[in-house]
């Protein structure tokens, strides 16, 4: 049986997490609890952060800061393209439990990708504030995703209001379905940023689209993969269409 720690404050969560060795963070639990139930994950220590006061959305000076424990339901009206991404994850039940931190740190799943908000945060050029070995760190979401979430406890993310944004996605017509693919685009500080989730284990930027605005060039940066939801072949054909729609939406706003 794992040691279960229920953090009652941010300070308790940070202290219990320490350098992250042998700790499994449980936020909304929509990914991690099925893994434990089916015996695929056997934590030595489980750190429950749902009562640690890590939720909340603050806005000041054109910048939004969102606590890692904020649920996707609470993000449904967030700045675009984050709000739309949150509204399209699964169903009310899941969105009421699932958190921003859990989405950002979602481990690659064999059956489906599950980090839709990563694409929105990449497009928004968000910064991730985390703690762990070596203390606190703030870095771009791109750097955070490239390093992988291991050994870090995410505390909050922040981003500036984009000048414009657009997003397009495909999901199955079923309440419990995962998003098959999502494209997010935003203009931040005059710069176009385009990111894709659902094509592989983590969301990635498409610099080729950013520099050319040619939707077909998305396949220069993204190599779609097969999974239980869709084939790589299908994703390769749909992805440029979604990029075009996201760019059209961005230009229309
Ligand atoms: C039926 C169903 C449909 C779904 N559909 C979608 C979908 O369409 N799109 C989508 O993106 N996802 C989907 N998901 C996946 C999931 O619900 C989301 O990714 C969710 O945001 C995960 O958040 P959580 O708080 O539940 O994470 P948890 O299960 O608590 O944790 C997920 C991972 O992140 C780690 N973690 C959690 N919080 C932190 C933190 N603050 N710091 C460091 N590590 C942390 C955990 O240790 C674990 O490894 C679906 C899930 C289900 C069950």
């Amino acid at each position: 049986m794992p040691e279960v720690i229920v953090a009652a404050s941010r300070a308790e969560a940070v202290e219990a997490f320490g350098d992250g060795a042998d700790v499994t963070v449980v936020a909304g639990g929509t990914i991690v609890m099925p893994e434990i139930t089916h015996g695929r994950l056997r934590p030595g220590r489980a750190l429950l952060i749902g009562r640690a006061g890590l939720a909340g959305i603050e806005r000041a000076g054109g910048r939004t800061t969102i606590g890692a424990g904020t649920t996707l339901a609470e993000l449904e009206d967030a700045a675009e393209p984050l709000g739309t991404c949150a509204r399209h994850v699964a169903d009310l039940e899941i969105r009421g439990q699932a958190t921003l931190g859990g989405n950002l740190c979602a481990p690659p799943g064999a059956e489906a990708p599950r980090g839709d908000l990563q694409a929105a945060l990449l497009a928004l050029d968000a910064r991730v504030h985390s703690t762990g070995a070596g203390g606190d760190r703030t870095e771009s979401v791109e750097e955070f995703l490239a390093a992988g979430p291991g050994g870090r406890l995410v505390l909050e993310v922040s981003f500036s209001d984009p000048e414009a944004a657009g997003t397009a996605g495909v999901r199955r017509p079923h309440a419990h379905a995962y998003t098959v693919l999502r494209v997010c685009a935003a203009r931040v500080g005059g710069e176009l940023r385009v990111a894709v989730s659902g094509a592989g284990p983590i969301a990635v930027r498409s610099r080729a689209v950013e520099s050319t605005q040619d939707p077909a060039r998305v396949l220069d940066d993204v190599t779609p993969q097969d999974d239980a939801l869709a084939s790589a072949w299908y994703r390769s054909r749909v992805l440029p269409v979604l990029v075009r729609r996201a760019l059209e939406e961005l230009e229309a706003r």
Side-chain angles (χ1 to χ4, degrees):
M1 285 290 284
E3 178 192 356
V4 177
I5 305 155
V6 183
S9 68
R10 178 183 175 113
E12 273 186 33
V14 171
E15 191 187 336
F17 186 79
D19 63 3
D22 199 28
V23 185
T24 297
V25 176
V26 181
T30 60
I31 291 174
V32 90
M33 287 312 295
E35 295 296 307
I36 293 172
T37 304
H38 291 289
R40 291 189 291 260
L41 178 66
R42 298 177 188 278
R45 290 194 303 144
L47 172 60
L48 278 57
I49 58 168
R51 296 180 189 167
L54 292 178
I57 304 173
E58 282 177 21
R59 284 192 41 81
R63 210 161 164 82
T64 302
T65 301
I66 305 175
T70 306
T71 65
L72 304 198
E74 293 169 300
L75 291 176
E76 292 187 18
D77 296 323
E80 292 300 335
L82 187 61
T84 297
C85 285
R87 284 195 299 280
H88 285 86
V89 168
D91 55 76
L92 276 174
E93 231 179 326
I94 298 290
R95 292 195 295 273
Q97 276 184 244
T99 66
L100 176 74
N103 203 281
L104 191 56
C105 300
E111 71 285 0
R114 41 203 179 182
D116 284 357
L117 273 56
Q118 295 173 6
L121 296 172
L122 277 172
L124 287 165
D125 197 15
R127 310 278 299 165
V128 181
H129 180 206
S130 66
T131 191
D136 282 19
R137 199 162 79 200
T138 301
E139 62 200 323
S140 70
V141 67
E142 202 167 8
E143 289 164 337
F144 180 82
L145 289 174
R152 305 305 299 171
L153 174 66
V154 177
L155 298 170
E156 61 248 334
V157 302
S158 63
F159 53 83
S160 296
D161 289 342
E163 290 100 61
T167 180
V170 186
R171 61 196 304 263
R172 292 198 169 187
H174 184 287
H176 282 299
Y178 289 78
T179 306
V180 176
L181 267 179
R182 179 158 291 281
V183 176
C184 290
R187 202 175 295 286
V188 184
E191 180 199 19
L192 174 67
R193 296 175 63 93
V194 178
V196 176
S197 61
I202 56 168
V204 289
R205 268 176 87 181
S206 176
R207 286 186 165 78
V209 175
E210 290 169 2
S211 58
T212 63
Q213 303 200 21
D214 176 358
R217 295 288 304 275
V218 69
L219 296 171
D220 291 6
D221 296 312
V222 179
T223 307
Q225 295 182 10
D226 288 319
D227 62 25
L229 291 181
S231 65
W233 180 89
Y234 173 81
R235 286 189 164 100
S236 300
R237 271 144 192 82
V238 171
L239 192 49
V241 178
L242 297 180
V243 172
R244 179 173 53 73
R245 288 185 189 160
L247 292 177
E248 283 171 359
E249 187 177 306
L250 177 138
E251 294 304 337
R253 287 191 180 193

